[in-house]
Amino acid sequence: MKRIILVAVLFIATSATMQAQLLRFGVKAGVNFANQTGDSAFDGIEVDKEGITSYHAGVVAEIKLLEKFSIQPELLYSTQGATYKTAVDEFKNELGYLSIPVMAKFYLTKSFSLELGPQASFLLSEKNDFDVKNGKTFEFGLNAGLGFKLTENIFVQGRYGIGLTEASKNADVKNSVFQLSAGFMF
């Protein structure tokens, strides 16, 4: 009887340890260097676009499928957009998204990973210096980047994301963003 109890306890302990290694949760935050690509004219007026510096923050999970391969879904609040300048005026367009990237992580070493994956984003807010609310409510894009584990729990990431769908109802522009992140896995 003692052996059966001992085997059951060892089995439960091993299962709990395996589960902890296969699925981990964490948080991350960082800086966005965002811009919009595409049309450089509004109503026939030529404009210059400049990027904006903003932020992103949210939760992550890492699901280890193989020794050197994981899936990392994320739920982030991310602000993107651009500053537009004409010969006479300047205005800033800042879009706040609920972004859901799903990254495939290929570990090149134990700490260094290559990350690729799609991202769906839903527009939550639009702040701009003019009266037009013309952001589309959904955006789809692709991300690619690199990750590095500083310790077993602390990581840093660099990622570039490009929008594949238009970000505006009235102009042919797509979001692009370079993100630098730091995070903690529990």
Side-chain angles (χ1 to χ4, degrees), residues 12-42:
I12 291 170
T14 304
S15 295
T17 303
M18 287 177 59
Q19 289 294 332
Q21 291 175 354
L22 297 177
L23 176 63
R24 296 184 70 193
F25 294 97
V27 294
K28 73 181 255 186
V31 64
N32 288 350
F33 301 100
N35 207 341
Q36 293 182 323
T37 62
D39 199 1
S40 61
F42 287 107

Side-chain angles (χ1 to χ4, degrees), residues 99-117:
S99 297
I100 307 169
V102 179
M103 306 301 288
K105 293 179 72 170
F106 302 94
Y107 281 94
L108 305 175
T109 68
K110 189 174 180 175
S111 298
F112 189 66
S113 63
L114 174 66
E115 303 172 358
L116 302 164

Side-chain angles (χ1 to χ4, degrees), residues 1 24 37 39 50 55 69 72 81 85 138 168 173-174:
M1 184 68 167
R24 296 184 70 193
T37 62
D39 199 1
E50 290 185 5
Y55 65 94
F69 179 72
Q72 182 172 303
K85 294 182 180 183
F138 177 78
S168 173
V173 295
K174 297 175 183 174

